[in-house]
Amino acid sequence: MAKTDGLGDYGTTAHATTTSISAEGNATDSDSETAAVAAGLKHLETKDVKWYSYLLTADFWAIIALGQILALCITGSNTFTSFLSSVNTIIPAFQTLFNYALLTLVYLPYTIHKHGWAKYRSILWRDGWKYFILSFLDVQGNYFTVLAYEYTNILSAQLLNFWAIVCVVILSFFLLKVRYRIVQIAGILICCGGMGVLLASDHINGTNGGNGKDMIKGDLFGLLGATLYGITNVYEEWFVSKKPMYEVLSFLGLFGVCINGVQAAIFDRNSFAGATWNGDVAGWLVGYTFCLFIFYSLVPLILRMGSAAIFDVNLLTANFWGVIIGTRVFGYTIHWMYPIAFVLIIFGMVVYFLAGTILGDSKKPWLGDNQKDGVAGFGTAKLKALNEAKKKGLAREEAAGEA
């Protein structure tokens, strides 16, 4: 029988004991965090809340401000696309490739720094296919929406954008267990009414683009693009509620580069021959990429603090900002119905948040009552609950969650 080394046995025992203590410590920390979140949520939701209480919170005004910044980013990217089209540089897939590349360059190194190579490879192996689907849906949504504008007129393409909101509401209801209150549905309808006023003013002014090259084909592309956008927004809301934002954006960029690169090589190849390439075009591509990068970086915040529905509703004001910019760039005139439309859309968002909880849409039903399945990141109900518990001494101080 081999002789046992007492020191070796002690080392093994000590390692096992340390591992056991570590596991117990992690379990204790997890239980403490769960208790803190539960206590914080209970305190927040049992406050004396009036029907207008959420409108007085910083979150509500942050959502409104974020929504308008995103709408301006969309308007900016559309303006730069118009500049490119004016010189026959129509490369929808290629021009978006730079945005995905920039997302990868910024967020992928940070994700690897936060997770380490081992954990990153594990995430890629376990969740890579989910992120691939998200990127694929996003790329195709962009592509078919741009194609719709090429074949149909502006009025039809913008009307089809309403379908994205319908898709978001339906998918959120059935897949994410979101239950909309009557006042929320009313708010969405008021916002859509405001958009209707915008489109009516365009029609009255004769700025709806006239007849398209192939209206049926363009409308089908627009319908497909709006559907893909709706699915993407709901899917991304689910992702950022469970994962760090930088991780989601890094994979969206990484797979987006691959998918969009292949698509550009196939579909934009012939467009390169007739495209114009000069300093102005380079500047417009930089501007387009910058607007989209800011847009993609801020979207997870509004999806966490609000929802996919309120995100899409916010973007309805992009048409208003488009006309404001168009007055200086393209010589547009502002119809008297435009300010009415803008006020209606903002009013609809106010109505959406009436008679709600102090947490608004940040508490996600698919994460459980205590948001157990969610990440404690910026803008989440889970982090708000932890901070409330810490501030009120409802539970022992917890470590900050992932950003």
Side-chain angles (χ1 to χ4, degrees):
M1 181 180 292
K3 182 179 179 181
T4 303
D5 186 347
L7 183 59
D9 286 342
Y10 175 78
T12 304
T13 304
H15 175 71
T17 303
T18 302
T19 303
S20 176
I21 292 172
S22 176
E24 289 173 5
N26 290 336
T28 302
D29 287 343
S30 179
D31 291 342
S32 298
E33 182 181 274
T34 301
V37 171
L41 287 174
K42 183 178 179 181
H43 186 267
L44 287 169
E45 294 180 318
T46 55
K47 284 182 176 180
D48 184 19
V49 179
K50 307 296 184 183
W51 60 270
Y52 55 83
S53 292
Y54 187 73
L55 305 183
L56 303 179
T57 63
D59 278 12
F60 170 75
W61 295 104
I63 287 172
I64 296 295
L66 272 174
Q68 297 316 296
I69 292 171
L70 292 172
L72 282 168
C73 287
I74 286 292
T75 303
S77 64
N78 289 341
T79 302
F80 286 117
T81 299
S82 298
F83 287 154
L84 291 169
S85 298
S86 68
V87 294
N88 202 37
T89 304
I90 304 172
I91 44 174
F94 181 74
Q95 72 186 53
T96 309
L97 178 64
F98 296 107
N99 170 59
Y100 292 114
L102 187 56
L103 287 173
T104 305
L105 288 173
V106 172
Y107 293 108
L108 182 58
Y110 187 73
T111 301
I112 294 173
H113 168 72
K114 294 290 287 185
H115 289 329
W117 274 109
K119 185 176 179 181
Y120 177 78
R121 287 195 299 269
S122 175
I123 294 170
L124 182 61
W125 177 258
R126 184 184 68 248
D127 297 328
W129 65 275
K130 300 176 187 176
Y131 284 119
F132 179 86
I133 292 174
L134 175 66
S135 295
F136 181 82
L137 292 170
D138 187 65
V139 169
Q140 304 314 316
N142 286 330
Y143 185 77
F144 284 108
T145 299
V146 172
L147 276 185
Y149 278 92
E150 184 178 345
Y151 288 98
T152 190
N153 62 24
I154 296 172
L155 181 62
S156 292
Q158 290 175 341
L159 279 171
L160 289 169
N161 286 338
F162 283 119
W163 179 246
I165 299 175
V166 175
C167 288
V168 164
V169 171
I170 293 173
L171 290 172
S172 297
F173 183 86
F174 286 106
L175 299 183
L176 300 184
K177 303 177 183 177
V178 175
R179 296 297 175 259
Y180 294 98
R181 299 183 298 277
I182 296 297
V183 70
Q184 289 178 303
I185 298 297
I188 292 174
L189 291 176
I190 291 172
C191 290
C192 290
M195 182 63 175
V197 173
L198 277 176
L199 297 177
S201 66
D202 284 344
H203 183 68
I204 292 170
N205 285 341
T207 56
N208 59 4
N211 292 322
K213 188 163 56 175
D214 188 336
M215 295 291 289
I216 295 177
K217 187 176 182 180
D219 288 348
L220 289 174
F221 282 148
L223 192 63
L224 179 56
T227 302
L228 291 168
Y229 268 141
I231 298 171
T232 301
N233 293 341
V234 172
Y235 197 14
E236 187 173 356
E237 183 186 359
W238 178 83
F239 254 125
V240 298
S241 69
K242 290 172 169 282
K243 305 287 185 180
M245 291 188 296
Y246 56 81
E247 179 185 310
V248 176
L249 290 172
S250 70
F251 281 110
L252 185 61
L254 179 63
F255 288 118
V257 167
C258 300
I259 298 167
N260 214 45
V262 171
Q263 201 153 313
I266 296 172
F267 296 109
D268 286 352
R269 185 172 52 187
N270 294 332
S271 300
F272 276 91
T276 301
W277 300 102
N278 54 35
D280 287 340
V281 168
W284 295 334
L285 285 173
V286 169
Y288 175 85
T289 301
F290 177 76
C291 288
L292 272 193
F293 176 76
I294 298 298
F295 179 84
Y296 274 73
S297 297
L298 293 179
V299 164
L301 284 177
I302 200 169
L303 292 178
R304 278 184 175 181
M305 299 173 71
S307 62
I310 204 64
F311 163 58
D312 279 359
V313 164
N314 262 287
L315 294 186
L316 294 179
T317 60
N319 286 54
F320 175 81
W321 294 117
V323 170
I324 297 297
I325 292 175
T327 58
R328 303 299 299 271
V329 178
F330 301 113
Y332 293 167
T333 57
I334 299 178
H335 193 271
W336 62 269
M337 295 172 71
Y338 266 78
I340 296 174
F342 183 81
V343 170
L344 272 176
I345 294 172
I346 298 299
F347 178 68
M349 286 187 279
V350 171
V351 171
Y352 181 92
F353 285 111
L354 291 179
T357 68
I358 202 68
L359 293 169
D361 282 355
S362 64
K363 187 179 180 183
K364 313 296 185 183
W366 60 90
L367 299 178
D369 289 338
N370 295 329
Q371 307 292 279
K372 183 179 180 181
D373 297 329
V375 63
F378 186 81
T380 63
K382 188 171 187 176
L383 185 59
K384 293 173 191 174
L386 284 171
N387 290 336
E388 184 72 9
K390 177 181 175 181
K391 184 170 71 174
K392 300 296 182 181
L394 303 174
R396 71 181 184 84
E397 184 175 340
E398 297 296 330
E402 288 190 89

